[in-house]
Every structure is written in C-alpha cells, then in structure tokens.
Amino acid sequence: MKYILALDQGTTSSRAILFDQHGQNIATAQKEFKQHYPQSGWVEHDADEIWSSQISVASEVLARTQLSTANIAAIGITNQRETVIVWDRHTGKPICNAIVWQDRRTASFCEQLVADGHEAAFKQKTGLRLDPYFSGTKIRWIIDNIKDARKRADAGDLMCGTVDTWLIYNLSGRTLHVTDSTNASRTLLYNIHTKQWDADLLSILNIPQSMLPEVKPSSDVYGMTSGTHLGNPLPIAGIAGDQQAALFGQMCTTPGMIKSTYGTGCFMLVNTGDTAITSNNNLLTTIAWEINGQTTYALEGSIFIGGAVVQWLRDGLGLIKSAPEIESLATSVPNTGGLYLVPAFAGLGAPYWDPYARGIMIGISRGTTSAHIARAALEAIAYQVDDVMHAMATDADIDIPEMRVDGGACANNLLMQFQADLLGIPVIRPKVQETTALGAAYLAGLAVGYWKNQNEIAGQWAIDRTFEPTISPAQANTYRAGWQKAVSRSRNWDQSS
Ligand code: ADP
C-alpha cells in the first residue's frame, strides 16, 4: 500500500497527515510552536522552529504507522500564507525571524504607497490591496531593517520565500528554491495575469528579483527530498496556500463553487474559472491553483472574527465552558429577541475593510439573557459570511448554487442552519473536514499519477449533512436589514488606531 504525506504548516502548529487512495486520513501528528510578539502589532515565528516542528511531525507519523518512504508516493505541502522568511544563500541560515501574515508593522509604509498613487497598479496586477497582510512589504522591511541586509540583497547573497519555499529548500537539502503560483499570488510581487514576478512592482518595493524563488504549478514534481531527513528520497509534488488547498480539498473545481472555512476567522473562496475577476466590492482576486498549464482563479473574502467570537463568550465573558456548549445555550431561546452582536473586535474585514470599527451589542432590552447573546454571536458569524457572499455574487455575476463548509465551527448545526436560511442556498458539510491537508495531498497525488485525474478524486468527496434554507427570502432580508443597521453603528468608532 502507498500513501500520500501531506505537510500542513499552519500559523500555530505544524501537522503531518497520511492519506490513502480513498482520501481517508490514516494518521496525523501535530506539534505547536512558539509565537513571538516583540512589539504591539508584530507577530514573528522562528523559521528554524517552523522547519524542525514540521520535519519532526513528518517523521513521527511515519514511525507511528511503521511505514517507510517506500510506502509514500509523494509529499504535498500546504502552508500559512503570506508569512515570509529571508535567509543567506551560502549558509541557509535565516537572517531574522519569519514575519507572520498577521503582522502589522508595515502599515504606515502601505499607507505611504497608497498616498504615492500605487494602489491601482498593485490591485490590477496582483489582485490584492496595499495592506501589511501580504508578503511584499514584509520582505522590504527586512531588507531595510536587518543589519547589512540591503547590501547582501543587492549582492545576490540573500534568498527569500513563503513557508512552502522554506520547507522545500530544507527538505531538498538546500537545492530547490521554488514556490507555486497560489503562494506567489499573495506576495504583492506577482502578476497574476502574466504569471511572472513583476519588474515594476519589484522596483516600487525595491526588492531584487534574485531573492525570489522560481514559480511552479501547484501540482508538479518539483524535485526530491534529500534523503537525509525521512529516509530515501521522495518526490515533492504539490504546493498550495492553505485556503486554496482547502478549496481544492472541497473539490470546488468549477466556476461558482464556493467554500467557507469557519475557524478562528472565516475564509471564503469562490472559484471563478479561468477569469481573474477584479473586485468592486473589496474582495481579493487570487490564483486558486495551476494544474497542467491551466490557471484557475478565485475571489476571496476574509473575515477576522469567526469562531473567535465563540472563544470570547467562553474566555472573555465566561458564558460557556467549551465552544460546543454555545449551541445548547443559543438553542434555549427561539431567537435573539432583536439583539445583534457585531464582533468587530479588530476592525472589520471583507467586504468593509474598516480598521476603525469596534465590536458592539445593540438591541439590548430588559429581557436580554446570556442565551440571546450566544445566539446573536452565532448569527453574527453567519451574517458576516452572508455579506461576503453578496459581494462575491455581485462581483462575479455567477450563479452560486450551494456552499461547502469546513473548519471547527462548522460542527455547529444551529449556525449552519441559520447560514443556509440567510443565504437561501444549501450549506453542505462534508465527511472529511481536514480539507486543507487533503487538498495538498490531492495536488501531489495527481502529479505522480497516484490519482489518475480530478474526476477520480471528485468521486471521493462525500456529504455528512446538508442544511436546506427554511425561511423565505423576504424574512432573510428583514434579518439582514437589522444586521446592516447594527454594522453601521459599529463603524468608524476607534479614532485612535
Ligand atoms: P483554526 O484553524 O483557526 O485554529 P479551527 O478550524 O480549529 O480553527 O476552529 C476553531 C474555532 O472554532 C474556535 O474559534 C472555536 O471557538 C470554534 N468552534 C469549535 N467548535 C465549535 C462549535 N461547536 N460551535 C461554534 N464554534 C466552535
């Protein structure tokens, strides 16, 4: 028997999962690693710890199943996106900590770029906003702020990459310097239409192209592991950023297919086929994957606070002891009694992008109880997803027939039912919910012929439960109008940030 080894390098932990030919999870190993917060708004990881935690879980999962590399057909990699690492080309040593996607240190630089009139060019070429979230300004920060980095960068002595690149560089014994187009499309440096590093954007950010990896398809044999880490050399054959991998793992492979991941935040991607649609509603345009010379695009909306509002009820308010408990508390009342909770704890993400919004509860009456708050918290997750869905439908002008869901909070039946009610389309929860790692495994397996084609894989996707809408569109509109009013009250609140 042969398996695919998926390496899922996330923001808080590194995981390794073995999948069999039916797409079933055979074994998982996971290791958390340290988060570094050197200053307010800064988030860093130790790049060596990213690597050591990832390689140790890969070894662990093989040891635990008593499998050797002879039993592995290929390795697929999926990763936290946008996080960047810069290292010395000669020693392979990082020159500083990785700057993580959440890090806001380049906010003023981004504002300066906007003031200098560069926003339109970046949006047109990369599909992204000039926001510190993306990799480009983080690389520039490192070049400007780490001792001698500018000199070494200009001399060609430094390499950089997102986490996929860093892992493959190390897995290959420092011989491969590659990424895939999904990760490249999150850097602010990659033209998603011409599929090349963009000379103009590199020049605006003053980043030498010699630092950047070669961009490859998402499903391709990039090279072999060096044989020093896991045993005999293995093909490294799939790469995708985590949200794109989840879209593929959910088999959202035709235009209009959409997935929503309900984790700490919510991430929604809709497949737009071979068209890169420019958003007029504050969504991002991104590459979903590149397979067999064909590029598939997606529109993306990120919501900062999803399941995190449930954590706030648990840890901040103490209304529940565990996240799943919210469902019984919320179900103990038939509705919110007119209460709305807007969890703009860190501003609002898509489609508002309002850093000055702050959380509010509104519509509180003498009869409001903790159960109403619990229900309003769950509904708030669904309302935010509904907002993004409307932005997507408007931008893409395509029929979205259903929504596939994954992530921790999709276990909540009340939330999923309310989501279907609001959207007016079925919400479908699959049996396998580790869609991120599965997507990476699929990409790798396709490249080495472990699976013949996408049709074979699509047959493996199976439904756990479908939630059908139960209210009329008019009723949904009434709910939505209340939500919109509440959102308008939350906006433009914190003038200090
Ligand atoms: P991440 O990958 O972002 O760490 P997960 O996919 O593991 O997130 O999901 C964890 C999130 O889901 C937490 O924010 C938690 O509050 C929420 N969550 C977990 N179970 C439930 C539940 N039954 N109902 C609502 N929220 C839940």
Side-chain angles (χ1 to χ4, degrees):
M1 273 295 274
K2 288 233 182 193
Y3 304 90
I4 300 283
L5 174 60
L7 305 184
D8 180 357
Q9 207 302 307
T11 309
T12 57
S13 72
S14 297
R15 302 198 307 156
I17 303 186
L18 285 173
F19 289 100
D20 69 10
Q21 200 126 22
H22 307 288
Q24 294 298 316
N25 174 340
I26 297 303
T28 303
Q30 178 164 5
K31 192 167 183 166
E32 287 196 10
F33 58 88
K34 195 166 155 51
Q35 309 289 312
H36 299 264
Y37 305 107
Q39 288 187 29
S40 165
W42 291 30
V43 187
E44 297 182 353
H45 292 158
D46 175 345
D48 287 326
E49 197 183 357
I50 289 180
W51 162 243
S52 61
S53 61
Q54 189 63 70
I55 195 67
S56 81
V57 288
S59 308
E60 182 186 334
V61 84
L62 291 180
R64 199 139 39 77
T65 48
Q66 299 187 327
L67 295 172
S68 75
T69 50
N71 305 102
I72 306 299
I75 294 182
I77 292 177
T78 180
N79 54 290
Q80 51 167 321
R81 303 178 301 173
E82 297 103 8
T83 299
V84 290
I85 299 151
V86 175
W87 65 95
D88 183 296
R89 185 183 295 281
H90 311 290
T91 64
K93 294 272 170 254
I95 65 166
C96 58
N97 275 344
I99 303 187
V100 178
W101 58 274
Q102 297 150 321
D103 191 291
R104 309 297 297 173
R105 79 184 64 180
T106 61
S108 58
F109 181 47
C110 288
E111 279 166 23
Q112 186 59 50
L113 290 168
V114 173
D116 292 346
H118 294 305
E119 193 169 28
F122 278 95
K123 183 174 176 189
Q124 193 276 322
K125 291 177 170 189
T126 69
L128 307 175
R129 305 166 56 82
L130 273 170
D131 189 277
Y133 179 22
F134 305 107
S135 315
T137 58
K138 299 178 196 290
I139 299 170
R140 165 65 182 265
W141 188 93
I142 292 174
I143 295 175
D144 281 351
N145 289 279
I146 301 300
K147 189 169 176 292
D148 292 337
R150 167 57 67 195
K151 205 171 63 201
R152 291 160 77 192
D154 288 342
D157 291 334
L158 297 182
M159 294 168 114
C160 76
T162 41
V163 170
D164 53 313
T165 304
W166 173 241
L167 293 178
I168 293 175
Y169 177 74
N170 283 290
L171 277 170
S172 66
R174 300 178 178 169
T175 57
L176 295 172
H177 189 213
V178 295
T179 188
D180 88 305
S181 40
T182 70
N183 278 291
S185 75
R186 314 296 295 185
T187 58
L188 276 178
L189 306 173
Y190 189 67
N191 187 316
I192 60 172
H193 311 285
T194 62
K195 310 257 292 312
Q196 280 170 339
W197 296 121
D198 191 279
D200 293 340
L201 303 182
L202 284 167
S203 145
I204 294 169
L205 292 182
N206 198 7
I207 296 173
Q209 186 165 347
S210 61
M211 291 179 76
L212 298 174
E214 187 183 350
V215 184
K216 299 278 206 172
S218 318
S219 179
D220 195 15
V221 180
Y222 312 104
M224 306 294 281
T225 60
S226 69
T228 47
H229 300 295
L230 297 172
N232 289 331
L234 278 175
I236 308 167
I239 312 175
D242 52 10
Q243 298 308 321
Q244 284 93 333
L247 190 70
F248 198 70
Q250 285 274 25
M251 281 287 107
C252 292
T253 50
T254 56
M257 293 188 81
I258 185 171
K259 72 94 195 172
S260 182
T261 300
Y262 295 78
T264 308
C266 289
F267 289 90
M268 298 168 67
L269 268 80
V270 64
N271 181 321
T272 61
D274 54 13
T275 317
I277 294 173
T278 302
S279 176
N280 296 314
N281 292 284
N282 292 326
L283 302 175
L284 307 173
T285 310
T286 203
I287 293 181
W289 48 76
E290 184 189 343
I291 302 176
N292 293 335
Q294 272 213 302
T295 303
T296 300
Y297 294 90
L299 275 173
E300 174 174 327
S302 327
I303 296 160
F304 301 144
I305 304 293
V309 69
V310 179
Q311 290 169 318
W312 178 64
L313 256 65
R314 185 192 61 192
D315 306 335
L317 299 185
L319 295 184
I320 46 174
K321 288 201 187 63
S322 69
E325 254 182 49
I326 193 172
E327 189 163 354
S328 51
L329 181 59
T331 315
S332 69
V333 286
N335 53 52
T336 68
L339 183 73
Y340 286 92
L341 192 169
V342 183
F345 303 153
L348 285 169
Y352 304 101
W353 289 98
D354 181 351
Y356 307 109
R358 286 296 176 270
I360 58 164
M361 264 193 269
I362 199 159
I364 301 171
S365 70
R366 186 67 184 78
T368 301
T369 65
S370 54
H372 295 108
I373 296 175
R375 200 167 180 119
L378 288 179
E379 291 190 357
I381 301 175
Y383 280 121
Q384 294 181 95
V385 167
D386 181 63
D387 283 340
V388 172
M389 176 70 121
H390 280 273
M392 285 175 165
T394 312
D395 274 340
D397 194 24
I398 40 179
D399 188 33
I400 299 178
E402 62 181 41
M403 190 170 80
R404 297 184 173 185
V405 297
D406 51 50
C410 87
N412 193 304
N413 294 329
L414 182 68
L415 169 59
M416 292 300 110
Q417 184 56 56
F418 188 68
Q419 189 71 79
D421 288 347
L422 265 187
L423 296 174
I425 55 172
V427 166
I428 303 180
R429 186 167 64 200
K431 282 205 171 111
V432 175
Q433 286 159 31
E434 289 118 347
T435 52
T436 306
L438 182 60
Y442 281 158
L443 290 167
L446 282 172
V448 295
Y450 183 77
W451 288 292
K452 279 198 294 296
N453 51 42
Q454 288 186 38
N455 283 345
E456 183 185 348
I457 294 172
Q460 298 185 348
W461 185 85
I463 295 176
D464 167 47
R465 185 164 165 186
T466 300
F467 298 85
E468 296 284 351
T470 57
I471 65 172
S472 68
Q475 183 65 59
N477 271 335
T478 308
Y479 288 153
R480 199 175 282 129
W483 165 255
Q484 293 294 345
K485 206 163 143 191
V487 168
S488 71
R489 299 288 202 275
S490 78
R491 297 196 59 178
N492 205 22
W493 178 261
D494 185 357
Q495 302 296 351
S496 65
S497 52

